[in-house]
Each structure stands twice: as C-alpha cells, then as structure tokens.
C-alpha cells in the first residue's frame, strides 16, 4: 500500500514537471466568421507563448456566438456587429452581464469578379442592386448581363452591418444567393463573372475586385480616417469582466503585438 | 436459473425495441410543441402559401412557399436522375451481370452510399457547379439543377441497393415457370420479375425520395440559397432543410423565427412520414397480391 502511494506521488511529480495539462485553463471562443481569422491567428501565437493555455476557436456567425455566450457554452463571443437589444434582454433574463471589447476595425468591401468592367459604384447604386431596383450590369455602366447578387445568410454580422450601413435597413432582394461565410462569398464571386458580393477587408485577394464606393477605395487608411462609409468595429463579448485566461487573451489582442497580427490578417488595427 | 436469464435478456431486448418508439414520440412532441406557437401569430395558410421569407426584418414575413417549391423542384430533379439510374443498375446487376461483375459492382454501389453528404456538397460546389455554369452559359452554377443532379447521384445507391435486394427476392420458381411457358428473357423481366419485385422497387424509389427531400448539407452548399419562387431549373433556390440549417444558429430561442423554423421542420417531417406510410402500404399490397406474405 505504501509503495503504491509512493508511485502515485512520483507520478504526480513527474506529471507536474512535464507540464501535465491538468491545471491548464481552457476557453472557447465562438462567433463571427469575419473575426475568425483574427481569433485564430492571435490564439495560435498566444498558445505558442503560453503552452498551458488552451483556446479553442470556432466560427458559426455573430448570432451563433452571442447565443452561445448567453447559454454559457462559450467564454468569448466574436461579433462583427454590436449586440442587439433582444439579445441584451435575454442576457438579463439569463442573469448575464455582457461586456463589449472592441478588438479591431473592419471595412466591408463590395466585390465583383475581376473580369467585370465596372470598377466603381455609388452607395445608392449598391443599395439599388441589393434591394432589386437594378438587375442588369448595363444599368451601372457594365455589360448587358444579369447581376448575380450574393449576400450572407441572416446569422451573419456582416449581413446586418451591411444592411444597416449600406442598405438603410431595406430588405435584400429575395432572389439574392445566400452564402454561409465570407470565404464562400469571395470564392463564389471569383468563379462567377456576373456576381456582386460583400466581404470584410481581410478577405480581399487578387481573385476578386473591390469596388470604389462613392469614389473611395476600401482600405485600412480609408476605414480608419472614416472616408470609407461601410466601416465598423469588431467585437469580442464576455460575460462580466473577463478573468483569467479570457482576460489575458483579450489583453493580448489589444496589445501592440496583437494589433500587429490584426494588421497582418488584413484588418484595421486600433492604434 | 436459465429461465431467469432468459427473462432478463428478453426484457433488455424489449426495452431496446421500444427505445426507438420513445425517441419517435419524443421528437414528434418536441416538433409540435416548438412549432405550434408560430401559428398563433400567422395563419397556417399564410405560412404555407406566403411568398416572402424575411424572418429577421421588422415586421418579419414568414412565407415558406418558395422554400417548399425549392424542395419539390430539387427532389423532382433528383428523382429524374436516381430512379432510372438506380432501378436500371439494379436490373443490370440482378439480371445481366456476370457473378464476377456483380462481385465488384455491388460493393462499389454500397461504397457510393457511404460517402458523407458534405463530400457530395464539395463535389457539387467546386466541380459540378462551375462545369455546368460554363456548359450552359449560366450566370451562376449554384442552382436547383445542380442541386438536383448532386442529390440524384447521392440517392442512386439507395435506390439501386434496395431495388436489387427486391429483385433477388423474387422466387426462382417464378422465372422458371415463365420460361417454361415459352416467354423469353425480356418478357419474363417485364411481365414477371418486375411486377413481382414491384413493392420493393416502389419502396426503393420512395426511400430515395425521402433521402433527397431530407438532405441538408448538400443543398445548403449547392442550391444557392435564394428564397424566391423558382421560375426555372437554373434559378438558385433555398430548400426547406437549407433554410433551417442556415438560420437555426441565429434564431434566438423562443422567438417567432425559431418557432417558424420548427414549423418548417414539422412540415418536412409530415411529408417524409407520408412517403414512408405510402411505401409501407404499397409494399404490403403487392405482397398480398402475390401471396408472398406469410
């Protein structure tokens, strides 16, 4: 019996020495697919620096993230829109105290296929295309072809931010295609010559063309100096003041090092 | 002692057998409980025949006619592909294939059935959709046609496998009797074997249809997702399952949107339930007609 205790103690000591992860703290980060690249990158670098930290990052959409936070199934909710009143009401009934942390800025770029002649639109034209008043590229200076309108599904914060900032809360035309992520929109637009879509700045690449809006190119500079009109803050929400690992992680993202990563991922840093 | 053991084992298996009944009843209760509140806000008729689906706007519109029609179009497309393909390959496997061919083909068909639906979705999205887009000069490849084609390929092994089983259950004596009265192979197939296996083949088709109408991941990825009444096979559509999958995560629990999604699920359940009942009735009727039931 005694020797068994000895072995157990020894095993524990060895385990502790090896950094046995039984004392590791684990947090779950869930939500916006726009914020996802930031959360993934920063979590990766953070875990490299602190091997005892265990941060699991998931997408799903802003609405999904906030719903999980309210249900207590995640610790940090990523969101590309401010929390809604209905969600705050639910937080109160669930006894949660939701705190917002702005972690970066983002612009929503309107994108078309690189083969498209159109290189600039006014905000009104974008609104008319998305609400159904304009259906042909020839009406905005392009070829005589039907416009394929691509939008995000309703659980997307980008969808809501775009609806608010670009469409004045008008309804998106019912025949718009709904895609489940920023990446899905970017790749569909890249494959479809007549398509128009919208994505966060971090998803711009050479395979799609970002349109000038009212004469302003969407870029980090124009979002930061408020010239580009579809810009927005990106959030992480926590229940109450963040503690422990959640606090360290959010502090890290807001730090100069974290913000450099934000910048590298193609978003607009806060500094 | 053995008697007690037997009793215990019998009890365990009785519980297992009734477990599925409990799950079924539980699911039905939940579906009704979560779906019915929406019908206090909106009439059943307006829900089913409403033309606009704007669940997140204020005021919200909950018309699911575009979603129902999308499901019907996509499943019809799938049927047009999987019935001839599935039944045809079952006939070939059962009647014409040499034992060597059959030994290779049958397992291959079954492997096709075991490919996860998301893989079909990727295939449809990344290969089939761009291909059809170029082939037919479509403005977008993600449409009812592509979804129907992908689902058709998916449902083919289900149809083929069950139909082939049905054909193989046709007693040898039926064929022998037919040959004995001078019928040739084709006449035997058309007049004797297919009618005798008719119940199994109908079941196969109906189950294939259930699979097509209930499939979610593939249509979410391939159908395009536009909640509009489809005018042609090449329009993007949003089948019922895709709407539920895309929106359930967002809908705040207990909201009208949440209940509306459950109501869609309820309608979907009733449709597949009716299909299964029809499959059961058809197969019984045939069995009795042929005197095959015990």
């Amino acid at each position: 019996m005694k020797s068994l205790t000895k072995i157990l103690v020894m095993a524990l000591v060895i385990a502790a020495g090896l950094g046995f992860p039984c004392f590791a703290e684990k947090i779950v980060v869930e939500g916006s697919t726009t914020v996802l690249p930031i959360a993934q990158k920063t979590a990766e670098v953070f875990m490299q620096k602190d091997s005892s930290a265990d941060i699991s990052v998931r997408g799903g959409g802003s609405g999904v993230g906030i719903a999980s936070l309210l249900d207590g199934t995640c610790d940090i909710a990523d969101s590309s829109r401010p929390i809604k009143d209905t969600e705050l009401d639910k937080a109160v009934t669930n006894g949660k105290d939701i705190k917002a942390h702005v972690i970066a800025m983002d612009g929503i770029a309107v994108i078309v296929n690189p083969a498209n002649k159109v290189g600039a639109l006014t905000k009104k034209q974008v609104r008319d295309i998305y609400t159904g008043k304009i259906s042909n590229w020839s009406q905005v200076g392009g070829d005589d072809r039907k416009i394929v309108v691509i939008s995000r599904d309703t659980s997307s914060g980008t969808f809501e931010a775009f609806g608010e900032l670009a469409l004045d809360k008008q309804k998106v035309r019912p025949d718009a295609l709904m895609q489940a992520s920023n990446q899905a929109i970017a790749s569909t637009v890249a494959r479809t010559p007549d398509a128009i879509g919208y994505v966060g700045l971090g998803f711009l690449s050479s395979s799609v063309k970002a349109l000038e809006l009212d004469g302003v190119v969407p870029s980090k500079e124009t979002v930061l100096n408020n010239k580009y009109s579809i810009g927005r803050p990106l959030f992480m929400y926590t229940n109450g003041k963040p503690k422990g690992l959640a606090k360290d992680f959010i502090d890290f993202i807001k730090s100069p090092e974290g913000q450099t990563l934000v910048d590298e991922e193609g978003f607009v840093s806060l500094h | 002692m053995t008697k007690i053991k037997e009793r215990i084992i019998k009890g365990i298996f009785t519980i297992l057998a009734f477990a599925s009944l409990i799950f079924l009843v539980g699911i039905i209760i939940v579906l009704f409980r979560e779906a019915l509140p929406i019908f206090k806000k909106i009439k059943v008729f307006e829900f089913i025949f409403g033309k606009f689906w704007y669940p997140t706007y204020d005021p919200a519109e909950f018309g699911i006619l575009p979603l129902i029609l999308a499901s019907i179009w996509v499943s019809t497309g799938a049927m047009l592909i999987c019935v001839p393909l599935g039944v045809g390959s079952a006939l070939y496997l059962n009647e014409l294939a040499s034992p060597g061919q059959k030994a290779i083909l049958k397992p291959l068909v079954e492997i096709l059935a075991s490919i996860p639906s998301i893989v079909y979705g990727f295939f449809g999205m990344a290969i089939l959709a761009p291909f059809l887009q170029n082939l037919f000069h479509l403005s977008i490849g993600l449409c009812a046609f592509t979804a129907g084609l992908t689902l058709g390929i998916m449902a083919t092994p289900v149809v083929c496998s069950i139909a082939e089983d049905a054909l193989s259950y046709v007693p040898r004596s039926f064929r022998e009797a037919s040959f004995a009265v001078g019928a040739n192979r084709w006449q035997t197939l058309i007049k004797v074997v297919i009618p005798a296996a008719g119940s199994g083949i109908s079941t196969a088709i109906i189950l294939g249809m259930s699979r097509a109408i209930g499939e979610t991941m593939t249509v979410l990825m391939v159908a395009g997702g536009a909640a509009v009444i489809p005018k042609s096979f090449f329009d993007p559509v949003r089948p019922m399952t895709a709407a539920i999958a895309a929106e359930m995560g967002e809908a705040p629990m207990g909201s009208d949107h949440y209940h509306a999604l459950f109501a869609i699920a309820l309608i979907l359940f009733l449709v597949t339930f009716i299909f299964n009942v029809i499959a059961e009735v058809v197969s019984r009727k045939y069995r009795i007609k042929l005197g095959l039931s015990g």
Side-chain angles (χ1 to χ4, degrees):
Chain A
M1 203 52 206
K2 235 182 186 175
S3 60
L4 189 69
T5 326
K6 248 187 198 166
I7 291 169
L8 268 179
V9 169
M10 261 166 71
L12 266 179
V13 170
I14 292 167
L18 291 171
F20 198 69
C22 59
F23 304 113
E25 212 183 331
K26 183 175 161 47
I27 57 169
V28 175
V29 182
E30 188 176 1
S32 166
T33 63
T34 308
V35 185
L36 191 62
I38 299 178
Q40 277 173 335
K41 186 73 197 168
T42 48
E44 204 176 287
V45 174
F46 186 86
M47 285 190 286
Q48 267 167 20
K49 292 159 75 97
D50 179 1
S51 57
S52 71
D54 183 0
I55 303 173
S56 109
V57 180
R58 295 198 287 253
S62 301
V64 176
I66 291 172
S68 301
L69 185 69
L70 298 182
D71 292 338
T73 53
C74 78
D75 304 282
I76 297 176
D78 296 336
S79 178
S80 54
R81 59 164 168 81
I83 192 164
K84 285 190 239 172
D85 290 343
T86 51
E87 288 164 336
L88 279 177
D89 291 346
K90 201 186 160 212
V92 173
T93 38
N94 281 19
K96 310 253 169 179
D97 175 28
I98 302 300
K99 292 268 186 274
H101 313 269
V102 175
I103 53 145
M105 294 289 289
D106 187 27
I108 303 175
V110 179
I111 55 170
V112 294
N113 191 275
N116 199 317
K117 276 203 309 209
V118 176
L121 290 175
T122 64
K123 210 169 155 183
K124 184 173 182 309
Q125 284 172 326
V126 170
R127 186 166 65 229
D128 287 348
I129 289 173
Y130 269 91
T131 52
K133 286 197 196 99
I134 296 178
S135 293
N136 195 299
W137 282 112
S138 64
Q139 287 168 280
V140 291
D143 297 327
D144 180 19
R145 295 173 73 101
K146 204 178 141 229
I147 301 177
V148 177
V149 180
I150 303 177
S151 177
R152 284 293 305 281
D153 58 60
T154 52
S155 69
S156 153
T158 313
F159 171 85
E160 303 208 354
F162 187 77
E164 203 157 298
L165 297 167
L167 308 183
D168 290 338
K169 298 190 176 178
Q170 292 181 45
K171 285 175 181 169
V172 171
R173 57 196 300 162
D175 62 354
L177 275 78
M178 297 287 176
Q179 295 289 317
S181 70
N182 276 286
Q183 195 52 56
I185 291 196
S187 50
T188 310
V189 170
R191 276 199 305 263
T192 313
D194 304 330
I196 185 167
Y198 54 86
V199 292
L201 283 185
F203 293 87
L204 290 180
S205 71
S206 56
S207 58
V208 295
K209 183 162 77 173
L211 295 180
E212 275 181 29
L213 203 64
D214 289 334
V216 184
V217 183
S219 73
K220 292 174 186 175
E221 294 72 42
T222 54
V223 169
L224 212 52
N225 63 22
N226 259 333
K227 284 215 174 98
Y228 188 70
S229 54
I230 337 183
R232 54 173 172 171
L234 299 179
F235 300 91
M236 283 191 173
Y237 286 100
T238 53
N239 176 23
K241 273 202 166 154
K243 291 186 289 274
L245 181 56
K247 178 182 190 313
D248 294 343
F249 182 52
I250 291 175
D251 286 347
F252 172 73
I253 300 174
K254 288 182 177 172
S255 74
E257 193 189 350
Q259 289 298 308
T260 315
L261 296 172
V262 165
D263 207 56
E264 279 171 14
E265 289 298 315
F267 295 90
V268 183
S269 60
L270 299 169
H271 302 299
Chain B
M1 206 46 203
T2 39
K3 222 174 180 185
I4 294 172
K5 209 166 144 192
E6 227 165 68
R7 268 195 177 166
I8 291 171
I9 292 173
K10 195 181 161 197
I12 290 172
F13 279 96
T14 313
I15 292 169
L16 289 178
F18 277 92
S20 53
L21 183 70
I22 293 167
F23 293 143
L24 180 68
V25 171
I27 288 172
I28 293 174
I29 290 173
V30 169
L31 269 181
F32 272 96
R33 204 188 58 199
E34 299 294 337
L36 291 181
I38 188 68
F39 296 121
K40 283 183 199 145
K41 298 269 173 70
I42 179 169
K43 290 189 197 107
V44 178
F45 184 83
E46 281 167 22
F47 184 72
I48 294 177
F49 293 101
K51 286 186 189 135
F52 295 101
W53 176 250
Y54 280 115
T56 55
Y57 287 85
D58 195 26
E61 288 183 72
F62 298 106
I64 65 164
L65 187 62
L67 313 183
I68 293 177
L69 288 177
S71 283
I72 291 175
W73 281 58
V74 169
S75 318
T76 309
M79 283 298 103
L80 292 178
I81 309 274
C82 76
V83 171
L85 217 57
V87 176
S89 39
L91 286 174
Y92 180 82
L93 278 175
N94 196 265
E95 296 296 319
L96 300 169
S98 66
Q101 282 177 326
K102 200 176 167 182
I104 298 172
L105 284 174
K106 183 120 208 241
L108 283 183
V109 169
E110 269 147 25
I111 290 175
L112 201 60
S114 67
I115 294 175
S117 60
I118 193 152
V119 177
Y120 282 99
F122 268 128
F123 167 75
M125 197 175 170
I127 294 164
L128 204 57
F131 174 74
L132 293 172
Q133 190 175 320
N134 292 333
L135 189 69
F136 296 119
H137 302 289
L138 304 175
S139 47
I140 178 91
L142 303 173
C143 59
F145 181 80
T146 317
L149 191 57
T150 318
L151 283 188
I153 299 169
M154 268 181 83
T156 297
V158 177
V159 175
C160 173
S161 207
I162 301 173
E164 208 273 331
D165 287 342
L167 287 170
S168 68
Y169 290 145
V170 174
R172 224 181 125 74
S173 56
F174 279 39
R175 282 196 185 89
E176 281 163 357
S178 172
F179 289 134
V181 295
N184 62 24
R185 206 162 166 187
W186 174 248
Q187 287 165 330
T188 306
L189 185 63
I190 294 298
K191 297 264 162 82
V192 177
V193 178
I194 293 184
S199 67
I201 294 175
S202 327
T203 312
I205 292 170
I206 292 166
L207 289 179
M209 206 142 130
S210 296
R211 161 129 207 205
I213 205 165
E215 174 51 38
T216 304
M217 208 57 226
T218 313
V219 291
L220 183 62
M221 292 166 84
V222 178
V228 65
I229 292 174
K231 291 193 191 74
S232 94
F233 254 124
F234 297 106
D235 279 344
V237 294
R238 188 177 185 80
M240 294 190 269
T241 49
I244 298 172
E247 294 168 23
M248 204 42 155
E250 146 75 0
M253 225 173 156
S255 66
D256 291 346
H257 188 191
Y258 174 87
H259 292 306
L261 291 175
F262 264 98
I264 297 177
L266 179 64
I267 288 170
L268 203 57
F269 168 75
L270 292 177
V271 170
T272 41
F273 181 74
I274 290 168
F275 279 163
N276 281 299
V277 169
I278 292 173
E280 187 64 23
V281 169
V282 167
S283 92
R284 283 224 179 135
K285 205 174 125 197
Y286 267 101
R287 245 182 273 160
I288 290 165
K289 198 169 122 194
L290 290 168
L292 292 177
S293 62

